[in-house]
Amino acid sequence: MLKKIVLTGARGALGTELRPALAKLTEALVSTDIVDAPDDLAPNETFVRADLAKMDEVAPLMDGAEMVVHFGAIPDEGPFETLLGPNYVGAYNVWEAAYRAGARRIVYASSIHALGLGETAAGLDTDAGHRPDTFYGLSKCFAEDMGRMYWEKRGLEAVCLRILSCTPEPQNVRALGTWLSYRDMVQLVERSLLTAVVGFTVAYGVSANTRAPVSNDRVRFLGYRPQDNAEDWAEAITAKERTPRADDMGYTRLGGPFAKVPLGESGVEAIRRMAAED
Amino acid sequence: MLKKIVLTGARGALGTELRPALAKLTEALVSTDIVDAPDDLAPNETFVRADLAKMDEVAPLMDGAEMVVHFGAIPDEGPFETLLGPNYVGAYNVWEAAYRAGARRIVYASSIHALGLGETAAGLDTDAGHRPDTFYGLSKCFAEDMGRMYWEKRGLEAVCLRILSCTPEPQNVRALGTWLSYRDMVQLVERSLLTAVVGFTVAYGVSANTRAPVSNDRVRFLGYRPQDNAEDWAEAITAKERTPRADDMGYTRLGGPFAKVPLGESGVEAIRRMAAED
Amino acid sequence: MLKKIVLTGARGALGTELRPALAKLTEALVSTDIVDAPDDLAPNETFVRADLAKMDEVAPLMDGAEMVVHFGAIPDEGPFETLLGPNYVGAYNVWEAAYRAGARRIVYASSIHALGLGETAAGLDTDAGHRPDTFYGLSKCFAEDMGRMYWEKRGLEAVCLRILSCTPEPQNVRALGTWLSYRDMVQLVERSLLTAVVGFTVAYGVSANTRAPVSNDRVRFLGYRPQDNAEDWAEAITAKERTPRADDMGYTRLGGPFAKVPLGESGVEAIRRMAAED
Amino acid sequence: MLKKIVLTGARGALGTELRPALAKLTEALVSTDIVDAPDDLAPNETFVRADLAKMDEVAPLMDGAEMVVHFGAIPDEGPFETLLGPNYVGAYNVWEAAYRAGARRIVYASSIHALGLGETAAGLDTDAGHRPDTFYGLSKCFAEDMGRMYWEKRGLEAVCLRILSCTPEPQNVRALGTWLSYRDMVQLVERSLLTAVVGFTVAYGVSANTRAPVSNDRVRFLGYRPQDNAEDWAEAITAKERTPRADDMGYTRLGGPFAKVPLGESGVEAIRRMAAED
Amino acid sequence: MLKKIVLTGARGALGTELRPALAKLTEALVSTDIVDAPDDLAPNETFVRADLAKMDEVAPLMDGAEMVVHFGAIPDEGPFETLLGPNYVGAYNVWEAAYRAGARRIVYASSIHALGLGETAAGLDTDAGHRPDTFYGLSKCFAEDMGRMYWEKRGLEAVCLRILSCTPEPQNVRALGTWLSYRDMVQLVERSLLTAVVGFTVAYGVSANTRAPVSNDRVRFLGYRPQDNAEDWAEAITAKERTPRADDMGYTRLGGPFAKVPLGESGVEAIRRMAAED
Amino acid sequence: MLKKIVLTGARGALGTELRPALAKLTEALVSTDIVDAPDDLAPNETFVRADLAKMDEVAPLMDGAEMVVHFGAIPDEGPFETLLGPNYVGAYNVWEAAYRAGARRIVYASSIHALGLGETAAGLDTDAGHRPDTFYGLSKCFAEDMGRMYWEKRGLEAVCLRILSCTPEPQNVRALGTWLSYRDMVQLVERSLLTAVVGFTVAYGVSANTRAPVSNDRVRFLGYRPQDNAEDWAEAITAKERTPRADDMGYTRLGGPFAKVPLGESGVEAIRRMAAED
């Protein structure tokens, strides 16, 4: 039983899934987000509204924290100036405050967009280097490099989860490879918290999809064993989607639509636009 | 539903397995071989007799083709002069005609003999380079390199399937590792056709054998999930076969008997001879 | 059916498991150890007491041997001078005598301690180089290098099994990754004996643990398919063990307690001491 | 003759060396820094005082720029909050403004501290990944990743020069390996500007030192041929410096004193302190 | 002193340079080409007109040959059908005839176009795989793979020289990296002939250019030490050539203009056209 | 100035070259060998006769030692039993005694025979793994692995010099690649002693031979810059030596004659026999 977990981004889609699961692993769960508290707090859960871009709001959260699950950020591409506070400075504030408070480990929602310009067909594993596709992805590169440094210089552990497409169900052909189900996401965070020693580790957030384009083979020590497979949706999804051009970067690159969205423009909107076109 | 598939080598053992499966995936299947038509054409299937070594016989087949499944070739080692037309020039004709006709993709029956002198025990994956064991294997190297070039310069996609031992049942100890069942072969071709974007991809044609000597781990994005395992035949087969010498290239190299057959002489006969000796 | 197998270390914990299994694979099993004979010899089993450090006691065992399963050694860290005879000279005597007798293959109980200073989180495969953690591990490095040389210069095959934690049940959190069940160990030795051709091969001795830190992906050709998974013990074990420091080499390195035991001092005692502290 | 070069950090030690050299390569050199203009402007040189952390001061500089030599930043470790503006936001402003202005290429003063925790004895080449040693080094990681993205998504070229120890003369034993003379630094920038096509390229800023710990072998296409060798100072320097402990990270890691300075504290002061201790 | 050397392509530009040099290394030089004899035969030189595409003209040349220097081929891109005889079948005929005649080694004029779509900035060495840019380059891939097979199966040695730009003087900016002077070309062939044992070796044909984009570091055992450096022409050449676009494949890829010439169309003409445009 | 150096093998050919050079680097040189003292001791040099296989003779030598140059061993292949004491146990005694005495570093005469079965044409660098060709080479593998362990567990540094052919002049065609001149050997030992921090480092002992088959590119940080080149002897040597068969392991493998000498038989005699045959 962990002493205290701090969860950032607690009111986001993924944070909302994580809250009850984390509450079971710890004596005290401190959930935080930039919006109001949810109305379904667990008995051992406290909610603190905070702006991650402000150190004086972040630091108090960390008091006595053993683990930090850092999922709070703008979850979309946008102008660098817009992401700078929440995604860059926010990540720094979390790491620095966690370190000062003596926390043991950060489990971080990194993203496939840290290497979104990587080739889908390359079969990359967790050693693959950065090729960000957006300022959003670049913020993940920044935090991963920072996480390695805090581990190597200060002994603060980190697991960076390069999440692919975490949604209730897979939503398009790309997601037949990239989908991460909610329960697999929760399991992956749990394993990242409960594995005895992790140092600095990178893992992909992807379910047991038949078509998964990336590999966690080198981090089996985490004990992550996903339960879901997007293939169960394959027939329905492929029936709906037009065949892309052979050089469509939305398919040839791991980042999907983010690989072709102009820098600084919303990838979420690009995805909607693409979906509408089909 | 694909508009039109052209299948070469349609009357070979593998082509015969593929015909009904491909007919279901397309509005129009054009089957071709150098021999007469089969008597069991599907309703949407046309057969055209053609010599792949002759461009004027190949080109007309491709009109309107979306995909080409190129399995037509002499399936055995022989003198270079004998293989030159069907296996080398034939491959060129197929790629060039497909390109001119605006086809999207070629699924090609490459072979393990493109790297038949590779070490069985090396655990090679799909990045492994060429080490042909025969003029037959060399023709596969030629077509793989050509396929990469047509993709990189002209945008014509290709999946090169390095087929190991595709037979109804595994036939000897080597095949306990190298067997590819017919239904897994069909699935692999289907996945190669249906995956949205493939660029230039190499995959091994091998079933889910416990002892498989090569790995498709890097091309999981294709979604190939083989169903069969030669291990089910292991007891019966191992009881019959004598233990080879430790340096027997028929075992130490991926190409099996082709690895030791003299260049230009039939490997199929060598396999029969070896089987008879046991 | 193998003509004759010689098993060294036949009275050790692992040898005792192997004896009945090996007796079924061979016409004649010669079991040997430095202590007295067991009282449950199989009908086709002979026991010869021998000191592996003495060539004149080893050589006679090998007469007519087809395969040698070399598991005899001091199974713990100790002063170099103590290990020199049984673990170093003993291995040489076994290889040399086997070669002189015309044996085909040696299956050797190597150990994870040959690379016990390797990183747990690195996801190493069978190509990983030596980083011994003890004089015990160093003796395994010595024998692996010797085994490669006997294969490359003399054609004597070898399978070096880098055994992790072979016990009846997993005993601690580390073993949730490193456990090798007895029946998986027996299967791995059987596969090492029965695979037609092995040349010089290294494989990890580990069960199908969800958390396995090392990979046998490159030696699937051996056909080893482990049946057990330490994860079945996870809940009970994790409940008992204190969380280690993030930089505890007993967790960060593959060798576990051996990675931090002083050179020349018993790792078995260190393990007991650690267990007592929990 | 280049149309226009913008040089940031023009009043720093390296910028001061670069100004006359760049003035010869271009019709118009725009030099900028956060301090006052130098009094030795070349005839075709203009100086504009600007704060790189402010886009509205950076953007006007770029009008009509063909090349940008971005050397402006705080050249030392400090608190993240201190570096955020000049080193992080400043780099973004330069890349974004250069892109908007249609510039062709950025030559960037990256630093060995982007991988300052890399092993000195590892013989790393330009493919080596990030292991920052400081917030300063982390800003270089950030800019390198950003530079790759601007190239891959927007076609803005970049050469990232991982400068080691650029001083008039080598100053200590470490610098016998890491020294970059001023004239070699100038040559390296010139080659980065004049090479016809560079895409995204990383090169080490190091002279032809006999003891150079990193390698530019993979980027010979840049045509950089350093003229100086710190070995000429070896005798004098080694006579003065005490032998470090074998595990002194100031020697075992590429970052030297930065590898051991606490995060956020001045490495320059650490270097002075170390020098004083000798 | 070698017994007999056969030189194909003896009347080409490179063959003409080689003839007197080879005549000094051998008792008997047999020069051959598809055109008439030169009028400056060395005393120990015989010229035989032959069409390499015809085995009955190639085979007689090889009688008693110790070494074959195979430089005969169409030295330009063209339709596959045009290259098939001279470049593909011709290479086969040379290897097969040399083997039948008991020759020891073939020194082959391969070409950078075997990997002409490789990245200029990647710093490739001799292990780099095939990425042909033309049917011309593809013929080199074919012959390299064949050469490896003849070595591995039949013990016929080969050195494949991937020649970059072999001309009297470097002719454009690309050639500042890719130039191979005539005397360095001759030296490289000499070293390929005189090195005691070569097995199957690939080396780049490039002078000691400051800007050389590829590396022979892994084949230093050949003892090739080039004397010339295109940098001596740098100033004159760079003054004449316009700066290319950043994504100009004539610069970003090793194959230069061949990387962008349409398949089957003359690269030599493309080069002329490009030169005229400057 | 080093406090005390212990040199083993001081009366061997290489030790004799080293003695005066080492005497200049240290206040006290203790030279040792299993034979009598030389008659040319330097003023600060002491000679102690000792059998390295006996710890009680080795230990006293190390008192106060800062560096150990361990060159004492049987310099030839022989039966394992013969080499066991001097080469295996001797190395252990030196490392253990040096550690107990608080020495900082061991410079060890390893040998190319630790990977003597490696391919000559592979262009190996210092990361290449062990492939011993003899019991002699195997003893070098043993000591290298031990050296890594003493560094990683106990902080005792080591530089393992894989010496190729150290003789006054190159003696045969193989040595045109493998020669190490005496003065380059001395320089390499000096650099190994004087480099500030080395951890565990492997370097090749080879001169600046044009034909050098192995590479020190990854250990340039040592500052070794060889002065001699066997090429100066090339003409005279190649005139005398017959051309070997293409598959002669004396040429195709790094170990030269040791690669083909039977295990346990003198390689020195094999070399003499080969020389006599020419």
Side-chain angles (χ1 to χ4, degrees), chain B residues 181-208:
Chain B
S181 74
Y182 280 166
R183 67 171 172 166
D184 284 341
M185 184 272 294
V186 169
Q187 185 204 147
L188 183 53
V189 172
E190 286 171 345
R191 294 302 315 137
S192 300
L193 290 168
L194 297 178
T195 296
V197 165
V198 298
F200 176 79
T201 293
V202 168
Y204 288 108
V206 67
S207 281

Short mmCIF file of all heavy atoms in Angstrom, two decimals, chain B residues 181-208:
data_model
loop_
_atom_site.label_atom_id
_atom_site.label_comp_id
_atom_site.label_asym_id
_atom_site.label_seq_id
_atom_site.Cartn_x
_atom_site.Cartn_y
_atom_site.Cartn_z
N SER B 181 1.63 -23.06 -43.09
CA SER B 181 0.42 -23.78 -43.51
C SER B 181 -0.28 -22.99 -44.62
O SER B 181 -0.07 -21.79 -44.77
CB SER B 181 -0.52 -23.95 -42.33
OG SER B 181 -1.13 -22.72 -42.00
N TYR B 182 -1.10 -23.68 -45.37
CA TYR B 182 -1.82 -23.01 -46.44
C TYR B 182 -2.72 -21.89 -45.89
O TYR B 182 -2.77 -20.80 -46.43
CB TYR B 182 -2.64 -24.04 -47.23
CG TYR B 182 -1.82 -24.82 -48.23
CD1 TYR B 182 -2.33 -25.97 -48.82
CD2 TYR B 182 -0.54 -24.41 -48.61
CE1 TYR B 182 -1.59 -26.69 -49.75
CE2 TYR B 182 0.21 -25.12 -49.53
CZ TYR B 182 -0.31 -26.26 -50.11
OH TYR B 182 0.42 -26.97 -51.02
N ARG B 183 -3.42 -22.19 -44.81
CA ARG B 183 -4.32 -21.12 -44.36
C ARG B 183 -3.57 -19.93 -43.77
O ARG B 183 -4.02 -18.79 -43.87
CB ARG B 183 -5.38 -21.65 -43.40
CG ARG B 183 -4.89 -22.13 -42.07
CD ARG B 183 -6.08 -22.42 -41.14
NE ARG B 183 -5.58 -23.07 -39.92
CZ ARG B 183 -6.31 -23.20 -38.83
NH1 ARG B 183 -7.56 -22.77 -38.79
NH2 ARG B 183 -5.79 -23.79 -37.77
N ASP B 184 -2.41 -20.19 -43.18
CA ASP B 184 -1.62 -19.04 -42.71
C ASP B 184 -1.06 -18.26 -43.90
O ASP B 184 -0.99 -17.03 -43.87
CB ASP B 184 -0.49 -19.51 -41.79
CG ASP B 184 -1.00 -19.87 -40.40
OD1 ASP B 184 -2.11 -19.43 -40.02
OD2 ASP B 184 -0.30 -20.61 -39.68
N MET B 185 -0.68 -18.98 -44.94
CA MET B 185 -0.20 -18.31 -46.16
C MET B 185 -1.30 -17.41 -46.72
O MET B 185 -1.07 -16.25 -47.08
CB MET B 185 0.23 -19.36 -47.18
CG MET B 185 0.83 -18.82 -48.47
SD MET B 185 -0.43 -18.47 -49.76
CE MET B 185 -1.03 -20.13 -50.09
N VAL B 186 -2.51 -17.94 -46.77
CA VAL B 186 -3.63 -17.16 -47.29
C VAL B 186 -3.86 -15.93 -46.41
O VAL B 186 -4.04 -14.81 -46.89
CB VAL B 186 -4.89 -18.03 -47.39
CG1 VAL B 186 -6.12 -17.16 -47.67
CG2 VAL B 186 -4.72 -19.08 -48.49
N GLN B 187 -3.82 -16.13 -45.09
CA GLN B 187 -4.01 -14.99 -44.20
C GLN B 187 -2.94 -13.92 -44.41
O GLN B 187 -3.22 -12.72 -44.41
CB GLN B 187 -3.98 -15.46 -42.72
CG GLN B 187 -4.30 -14.34 -41.77
CD GLN B 187 -3.75 -14.54 -40.35
OE1 GLN B 187 -3.39 -13.58 -39.69
NE2 GLN B 187 -3.69 -15.78 -39.90
N LEU B 188 -1.72 -14.38 -44.59
CA LEU B 188 -0.62 -13.43 -44.75
C LEU B 188 -0.80 -12.60 -46.03
O LEU B 188 -0.56 -11.38 -46.03
CB LEU B 188 0.71 -14.19 -44.76
CG LEU B 188 1.99 -13.37 -44.84
CD1 LEU B 188 2.05 -12.30 -43.76
CD2 LEU B 188 3.21 -14.29 -44.73
N VAL B 189 -1.24 -13.23 -47.08
CA VAL B 189 -1.49 -12.48 -48.31
C VAL B 189 -2.67 -11.53 -48.11
O VAL B 189 -2.63 -10.37 -48.54
CB VAL B 189 -1.75 -13.45 -49.49
CG1 VAL B 189 -2.22 -12.68 -50.73
CG2 VAL B 189 -0.48 -14.25 -49.80
N GLU B 190 -3.70 -12.00 -47.45
CA GLU B 190 -4.85 -11.12 -47.18
C GLU B 190 -4.42 -9.89 -46.37
O GLU B 190 -4.80 -8.77 -46.67
CB GLU B 190 -5.92 -11.89 -46.40
CG GLU B 190 -6.69 -12.88 -47.25
CD GLU B 190 -7.61 -13.77 -46.42
OE1 GLU B 190 -7.44 -13.81 -45.17
OE2 GLU B 190 -8.46 -14.45 -47.01
N ARG B 191 -3.65 -10.11 -45.34
CA ARG B 191 -3.21 -8.98 -44.53
C ARG B 191 -2.34 -8.03 -45.35
O ARG B 191 -2.38 -6.82 -45.16
CB ARG B 191 -2.43 -9.46 -43.28
CG ARG B 191 -3.23 -10.24 -42.27
CD ARG B 191 -4.44 -9.47 -41.71
NE ARG B 191 -4.08 -8.10 -41.38
CZ ARG B 191 -4.82 -7.05 -41.67
NH1 ARG B 191 -5.98 -7.18 -42.28
NH2 ARG B 191 -4.42 -5.83 -41.34
N SER B 192 -1.55 -8.59 -46.24
CA SER B 192 -0.69 -7.76 -47.08
C SER B 192 -1.52 -6.92 -48.04
O SER B 192 -1.12 -5.83 -48.43
CB SER B 192 0.29 -8.65 -47.86
OG SER B 192 1.10 -9.39 -46.96
N LEU B 193 -2.66 -7.43 -48.42
CA LEU B 193 -3.55 -6.68 -49.32
C LEU B 193 -4.38 -5.64 -48.57
O LEU B 193 -4.66 -4.56 -49.09
CB LEU B 193 -4.49 -7.65 -50.05
CG LEU B 193 -3.84 -8.56 -51.09
CD1 LEU B 193 -4.82 -9.66 -51.51
CD2 LEU B 193 -3.39 -7.75 -52.31
N LEU B 194 -4.78 -5.98 -47.36
CA LEU B 194 -5.79 -5.17 -46.68
C LEU B 194 -5.21 -4.12 -45.73
O LEU B 194 -5.92 -3.19 -45.34
CB LEU B 194 -6.75 -6.09 -45.91
CG LEU B 194 -7.55 -7.04 -46.83
CD1 LEU B 194 -8.45 -7.94 -46.00
CD2 LEU B 194 -8.36 -6.27 -47.87
N THR B 195 -3.97 -4.29 -45.32
CA THR B 195 -3.37 -3.25 -44.47
C THR B 195 -3.37 -1.94 -45.24
O THR B 195 -2.99 -1.90 -46.41
CB THR B 195 -1.95 -3.67 -44.07
OG1 THR B 195 -2.04 -4.86 -43.28
CG2 THR B 195 -1.25 -2.58 -43.27
N ALA B 196 -3.79 -0.87 -44.56
CA ALA B 196 -4.07 0.38 -45.27
C ALA B 196 -2.87 0.89 -46.06
O ALA B 196 -2.96 1.23 -47.22
CB ALA B 196 -4.55 1.44 -44.28
N VAL B 197 -1.72 0.93 -45.40
CA VAL B 197 -0.52 1.48 -46.01
C VAL B 197 0.65 0.58 -45.66
O VAL B 197 0.82 0.21 -44.49
CB VAL B 197 -0.27 2.92 -45.51
CG1 VAL B 197 1.13 3.37 -45.84
CG2 VAL B 197 -1.28 3.87 -46.12
N VAL B 198 1.44 0.19 -46.63
CA VAL B 198 2.56 -0.73 -46.35
C VAL B 198 3.90 -0.21 -46.82
O VAL B 198 4.95 -0.71 -46.40
CB VAL B 198 2.31 -2.13 -46.97
CG1 VAL B 198 1.07 -2.78 -46.38
CG2 VAL B 198 2.23 -2.04 -48.49
N GLY B 199 3.93 0.77 -47.72
CA GLY B 199 5.22 1.21 -48.26
C GLY B 199 5.96 0.03 -48.84
O GLY B 199 5.41 -0.71 -49.64
N PHE B 200 7.20 -0.16 -48.44
CA PHE B 200 7.95 -1.36 -48.83
C PHE B 200 8.19 -2.17 -47.57
O PHE B 200 8.88 -1.72 -46.65
CB PHE B 200 9.28 -0.99 -49.48
CG PHE B 200 10.11 -2.20 -49.80
CD1 PHE B 200 9.82 -2.96 -50.92
CD2 PHE B 200 11.15 -2.61 -48.97
CE1 PHE B 200 10.56 -4.10 -51.22
CE2 PHE B 200 11.89 -3.75 -49.26
CZ PHE B 200 11.59 -4.49 -50.39
N THR B 201 7.63 -3.35 -47.52
CA THR B 201 7.69 -4.16 -46.31
C THR B 201 8.13 -5.58 -46.64
O THR B 201 7.70 -6.15 -47.63
CB THR B 201 6.29 -4.19 -45.65
OG1 THR B 201 5.97 -2.89 -45.17
CG2 THR B 201 6.25 -5.18 -44.48
N VAL B 202 8.97 -6.12 -45.76
CA VAL B 202 9.39 -7.52 -45.87
C VAL B 202 8.83 -8.28 -44.68
O VAL B 202 8.90 -7.80 -43.55
CB VAL B 202 10.93 -7.63 -45.88
CG1 VAL B 202 11.38 -9.06 -45.70
CG2 VAL B 202 11.49 -7.04 -47.17
N ALA B 203 8.23 -9.44 -44.94
CA ALA B 203 7.72 -10.27 -43.84
C ALA B 203 8.07 -11.73 -44.13
O ALA B 203 8.24 -12.11 -45.29
CB ALA B 203 6.21 -10.11 -43.70
N TYR B 204 8.19 -12.50 -43.07
CA TYR B 204 8.47 -13.93 -43.26
C TYR B 204 7.17 -14.71 -43.38
O TYR B 204 6.21 -14.46 -42.63
CB TYR B 204 9.30 -14.48 -42.10
CG TYR B 204 10.72 -13.99 -42.13
CD1 TYR B 204 11.17 -13.05 -41.22
CD2 TYR B 204 11.60 -14.43 -43.11
CE1 TYR B 204 12.48 -12.57 -41.27
CE2 TYR B 204 12.90 -13.95 -43.17
CZ TYR B 204 13.33 -13.02 -42.25
OH TYR B 204 14.62 -12.55 -42.32
N GLY B 205 7.13 -15.64 -44.30
CA GLY B 205 6.00 -16.52 -44.46
C GLY B 205 6.23 -17.78 -43.65
O GLY B 205 6.81 -18.75 -44.14
N VAL B 206 5.79 -17.74 -42.40
CA VAL B 206 6.02 -18.86 -41.49
C VAL B 206 4.84 -18.93 -40.53
O VAL B 206 4.25 -17.90 -40.18
CB VAL B 206 7.37 -18.66 -40.74
CG1 VAL B 206 7.31 -17.49 -39.78
CG2 VAL B 206 7.79 -19.93 -40.02
N SER B 207 4.45 -20.14 -40.17
CA SER B 207 3.35 -20.31 -39.23
C SER B 207 3.80 -20.04 -37.80
O SER B 207 4.96 -19.68 -37.57
CB SER B 207 2.77 -21.73 -39.37
OG SER B 207 1.92 -21.79 -40.51
N ALA B 208 2.88 -20.21 -36.87
CA ALA B 208 3.19 -19.94 -35.46
C ALA B 208 3.92 -21.12 -34.84
O ALA B 208 3.57 -21.62 -33.77
CB ALA B 208 1.90 -19.65 -34.71
#
